């Protein structure tokens, strides 16, 4: 009678994981999940910033339909009274539970994480979350700072713990309650790390000696990058340790040794996150529910680690929009295990682990906006219908098609023939496309370029990613009526994946791209 769902969403996690081929990062527990899952190698968020991305995938609507590009409006009032994924599960007999950061807190989820619409009980937030940006990082002088790079002694932290540790404990408690009450559940667990500040238990630094840490492969600002496309990483500049470097605005760069420290701490935070995920999945085994629970693991967007001279998210590049995405479906991606057999035994990242490979891998380009319909289909619920062209009046529909059809890896071979753009017809072949977008206040980097408020948005960058290319146009945008004018193109970008995987060489100006443009309008 339907599987449970454990939905794990991580803040700011790019696919730097062993199961995605990263040789440096130690993520044995997530890799173990991958070894029983179908892993999507080309999954993309709809906007590389927390609130818009989360509202998009939790409602199954794109940012132009939620009308949320910043943090300051609640879609039910501002755009339309759209149903959410947890709400749909709740209406179909599930107990729905939220732990940690699932919806972005604040106005964008009505100061309640959309309770009671989406959740059966009030969402849980760790009590230590409020110290996240306090001065808790000990500097070389022994004083406390609000730093970006922030390895800590957990026992010295307020409350003697960290938010993600508290979230894991609460999620485990709820699993036990669900087991005892024999209730079918949809449990969403939102982890904070590796979101800044990069604050994690200091022992994780041991996994990443600084001499093993390289710079980004392309730490410079690309020559032909339109200035509207650049994000000036203002949130990082406000941290005490970065502020002390007195880096020039908007392009920097940060000193090489500090770049290495950021990268080192990001990886350490990922390994700390991996232990939390490991403890949570281990608890799913403990309560005997691994055989009857679908596990989804993803992130709200990625994060730049110095690529293109950029840090943070706030852009349309793959480093900001690409996310890990995997689905463990008992009996489908993994054969059922016998009673008492463990699927997810906890793995200590400090002991040497051989890499585990994903059970199945899909190269298909997919989007987070498809999560709603995909999870409905996997759980055996009726899949919400596809939204009409304008759907502000429709409470339940989705703008992302279910991707369950890609779960069978053998189907990959079918669509080998790549659609080039030699002629208009071949350009419109049914290749999967992911759409992302990012707003800007101006054509050149400003102090509010990363996070413009709705009233200040003047340009919207619409980006289209296929297996072969990323195409982006930056067009005039009117925030008063939410309209984009595709006849007023301020700048464009085109990167061919095969020859330029890091997206460093913009060939927009020396290519005819009428056919891409038609497709982005379509």
């Amino acid at each position: 009678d339907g599987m449970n769902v454990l939905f794990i969403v991580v803040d700011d996690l790019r696919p730097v994981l062993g199961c995605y081929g990263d040789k440096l990062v130690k993520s044995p527990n997530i890799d173990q999940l991958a070894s029983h899952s179908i892993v999507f190698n080309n999954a993309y968020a709809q906007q590389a910033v927390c609130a818009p991305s989360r509202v998009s995938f939790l409602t199954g609507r794109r940012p132009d339909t939620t009308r949320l590009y910043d943090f300051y409006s609640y879609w039910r009032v501002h755009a339309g009274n759209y149903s959410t994924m947890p709400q749909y599960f709740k209406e179909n007999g599930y107990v729905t539970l939220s732990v940690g950061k699932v919806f972005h807190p604040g106005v964008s989820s009505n100061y309640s994480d959309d309770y009671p619409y989406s959740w059966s009980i009030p969402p849980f937030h760790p009590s230590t979350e409020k110290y996240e940006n306090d001065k808790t990082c000990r500097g070389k002088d022994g004083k406390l700072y609000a730093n970006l790079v922030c390895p800590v002694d957990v026992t010295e932290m307020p409350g003697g713990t960290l938010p993600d540790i508290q979230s894991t404990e609460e999620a485990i408690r709820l699993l036990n309650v669900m087991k005892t009450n024999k209730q079918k559940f949809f449990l969403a667990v939102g982890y904070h790390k590796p979101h800044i500040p990069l604050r994690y238990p200091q022992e994780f630094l041991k996994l990443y000696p600084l001499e093993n840490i390289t710079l980004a492969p392309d730490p410079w600002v690309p020559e032909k990058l339109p200035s509207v496309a650049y994000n000036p990483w203002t949130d990082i500049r406000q941290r005490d340790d970065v502020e002390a470097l007195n880096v020039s605005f908007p392009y920097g760069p940060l000193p090489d040794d500090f770049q290495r420290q950021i990268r080192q701490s990001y990886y350490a935070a990922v390994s700390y996150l991996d232990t939390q995920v490991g403890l949570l999945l281990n608890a799913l085994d403990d309560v005997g529910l691994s055989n009857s629970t679908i596990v989804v693991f993803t992130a709200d967007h990625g994060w730049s680690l110095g690529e293109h001279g950029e840090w943070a998210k706030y852009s349309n590049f793959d480093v900001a929009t690409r996310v890990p995405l995997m689905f463990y479906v008992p009996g489908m991606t993994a054969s059922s295990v016998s009673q008492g057999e463990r699927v997810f035994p906890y793995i200590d990242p400090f002991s040497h682990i051989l890499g585990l490979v994903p059970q199945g891998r899909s190269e298909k380009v997919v989007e987070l906006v498809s999560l709603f319909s995909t999870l409905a289909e996997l759980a055996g619920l009726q899949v919400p219908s596809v939204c009409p062209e304008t759907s502000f009046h429709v409470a339940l529909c989705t703008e992302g098609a279910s991707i369950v059809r890609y779960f069978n890896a053998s189907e990959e071979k079918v669509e080998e023939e790549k659609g080039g753009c030699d002629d208009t017809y071949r350009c419109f072949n049914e290749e999967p496309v992911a759409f992302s977008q990012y707003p800007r206040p101006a054509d050149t980097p400003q102090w509010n370029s990363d996070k413009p408020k709705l009233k200040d948005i003047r340009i919207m960058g619409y980006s289209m990613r296929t297996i072969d290319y990323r195409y982006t146009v930056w067009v005039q945008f009117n925030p008063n009526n939410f309209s984009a004018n595709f006849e007023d193109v301020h700048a464009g970008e085109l990167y061919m994946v095969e020859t330029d995987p890091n997206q460093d060489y913009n060939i927009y100006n020396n290519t005819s791209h009428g056919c891409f443009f038609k497709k982005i309008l379509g």
Side-chain angles (χ1 to χ4, degrees):
D1 56 4
M3 297 239 189
N4 305 307
V5 177
L6 173 57
F7 180 75
I8 304 170
V9 57
V10 184
D11 212 338
D12 291 18
L13 178 67
R14 56 191 262 163
V16 287
L17 299 163
C19 53
Y20 277 86
D22 194 290
K23 299 282 189 277
L24 187 65
V25 171
K26 296 185 170 57
S27 53
N29 293 287
I30 298 167
D31 298 348
Q32 177 169 253
L33 172 63
S35 74
H36 300 291
S37 301
I38 172 91
V39 173
F40 285 88
N41 214 26
N42 284 298
Y44 296 90
Q46 274 43 77
Q47 191 179 323
V49 70
C50 306
S53 173
R54 289 161 187 265
V55 167
S56 170
F57 67 68
L58 288 163
T59 60
R61 317 279 183 123
R62 298 181 186 281
D64 280 346
T65 308
T66 66
R67 293 184 162 174
L68 182 70
Y69 314 105
D70 60 13
F71 298 80
Y72 308 106
S73 59
Y74 178 43
W75 78 92
R76 291 185 192 272
V77 175
H78 171 77
N81 188 24
Y82 311 143
S83 295
T84 68
M85 174 165 51
Q87 178 183 355
Y88 189 58
F89 275 83
K90 185 181 168 196
E91 287 163 357
N92 280 281
Y94 282 73
V95 177
T96 57
L97 308 157
S98 172
V99 172
K101 185 175 173 183
V102 180
F103 279 100
H104 192 87
V107 189
S108 63
S109 56
N110 203 31
Y111 299 101
S112 66
D113 296 277
D114 198 45
Y115 175 78
Y117 293 102
S118 288
W119 312 107
S120 304
I121 61 173
F124 168 86
H125 284 279
S127 60
T128 60
E129 215 174 81
K130 58 180 173 288
Y131 308 116
E132 202 52 3
N133 296 308
D134 288 8
K135 297 190 172 192
T136 53
C137 322
R138 204 167 288 289
K140 290 199 169 69
D141 58 5
K143 293 189 186 132
L144 292 176
Y145 294 92
N147 285 344
L148 168 63
V149 172
C150 187
V152 297
D153 178 342
V154 177
T155 60
E156 289 179 0
M157 290 301 99
T161 186
L162 291 170
D164 285 345
I165 295 172
Q166 290 185 289
S167 291
T168 303
E169 288 164 354
E170 175 64 9
I172 291 172
R173 188 187 74 79
L174 289 170
L175 285 177
N176 281 289
V177 172
M178 292 298 107
K179 168 72 171 176
T180 306
N181 298 352
K182 297 190 167 45
Q183 287 173 301
K184 193 164 62 168
F185 62 84
F186 178 104
L187 169 59
V189 182
Y191 285 113
H192 283 269
K193 291 305 121 188
H195 192 286
I196 68 169
L198 299 169
R199 188 169 71 129
Y200 53 85
Q202 61 200 18
E203 58 269 24
F204 286 94
L205 271 179
K206 289 206 271 290
L207 294 172
Y208 302 101
L210 207 51
E211 60 269 22
N212 295 355
I213 308 296
T214 56
L215 297 181
D218 52 350
W220 63 88
V221 181
E223 197 184 329
K224 292 187 174 167
L225 182 70
S227 52
V228 68
Y230 188 81
N231 69 281
W233 34 279
T234 41
D235 57 348
I236 282 180
R237 294 169 190 272
Q238 287 151 20
R239 305 283 162 177
D240 292 348
D241 50 355
V242 181
E243 206 174 12
L245 296 169
N246 219 354
V247 179
S248 67
F249 185 88
Y251 297 111
L254 288 169
D256 287 1
D257 61 336
F258 195 75
Q259 291 194 36
R260 285 194 178 85
Q261 283 176 42
I262 299 177
R263 289 168 69 91
Q264 175 193 39
S265 273
Y266 186 90
Y267 302 145
V270 171
S271 290
Y272 158 57
L273 158 78
D274 181 78
T275 61
Q276 299 308 308
V277 172
L279 292 167
L280 176 59
L281 294 173
N282 184 64
L284 194 65
D285 268 353
D286 285 345
V287 292
L289 293 174
S290 300
N291 247 350
S292 54
T293 304
I294 295 163
V295 182
V296 193
F297 178 88
T298 192
D300 55 356
H301 44 71
W303 212 76
S304 298
L305 283 167
E307 295 86 0
H308 315 112
E310 293 179 312
W311 299 89
K313 47 252 186 181
Y314 318 123
S315 84
N316 280 322
F317 282 118
D318 280 12
V319 281
T321 57
R322 184 170 166 241
V323 292
L325 177 62
M326 61 190 80
F327 297 85
Y328 161 74
V329 188
M332 186 182 195
T333 65
S335 48
S336 299
V337 294
S338 49
Q339 200 55 43
E341 203 183 323
R342 299 188 79 81
V343 186
F344 303 119
Y346 175 76
I347 305 172
D348 180 354
F350 293 94
S351 15
H352 182 66
I353 305 300
L354 289 170
L356 292 157
V357 294
Q359 174 60 33
R361 191 190 283 286
S362 173
E363 296 299 324
K364 285 282 185 291
V365 172
V366 296
E367 314 174 271
L368 290 186
V369 75
S370 294
L371 279 169
F372 190 159
S373 46
T374 303
L375 277 174
E377 183 175 342
L378 289 173
L381 305 180
Q382 190 173 352
V383 178
S385 57
V386 176
C387 292
E389 196 157 330
T390 53
S391 62
F392 296 105
H393 58 292
V394 185
L396 180 64
C397 67
T398 170
E399 294 180 323
S402 166
I403 60 173
V404 174
R405 65 189 187 281
Y406 298 149
F407 276 39
N408 186 345
S410 64
E411 287 165 30
E412 296 282 295
K413 314 288 176 283
V414 184
E415 296 169 53
E416 278 300 304
E417 65 284 356
K418 290 267 175 75
C421 266
D422 310 338
D423 58 60
T424 313
Y425 300 106
R426 286 197 50 211
C427 191
F428 289 96
N429 71 341
E430 286 302 300
E431 62 179 334
V433 177
F435 294 100
S436 304
Q437 60 191 98
Y438 212 86
R440 294 283 188 236
D443 285 305
T444 53
Q446 313 289 315
W447 279 101
N448 63 339
S449 285
D450 293 346
K451 292 188 277 193
K453 290 185 171 161
L454 176 63
K455 66 177 175 50
D456 299 322
I457 298 171
R458 294 292 172 271
I459 302 163
M460 187 69 74
Y462 289 94
S463 193
M464 177 170 80
R465 177 67 155 82
T466 71
I467 200 75
D468 294 323
Y469 59 83
R470 178 176 284 287
Y471 174 72
T472 305
V473 281
W474 297 88
V475 301
Q476 189 249 331
F477 184 84
N478 181 343
N480 301 317
N481 61 4
F482 305 94
S483 67
N485 178 6
F486 282 86
E487 284 171 16
D488 184 0
V489 177
H490 287 229
E493 297 169 79
L494 175 60
Y495 306 101
M496 304 313 285
V497 174
E498 199 173 339
T499 51
D500 181 20
N502 298 329
Q503 298 164 11
D504 295 322
Y505 302 99
N506 179 14
I507 58 168
Y508 179 86
N509 284 342
N510 42 1
T511 316
S512 84
H513 35 75
C515 110
F516 299 116
F517 192 66
K518 284 197 194 96
K519 197 161 173 176
I520 212 163
L521 290 174

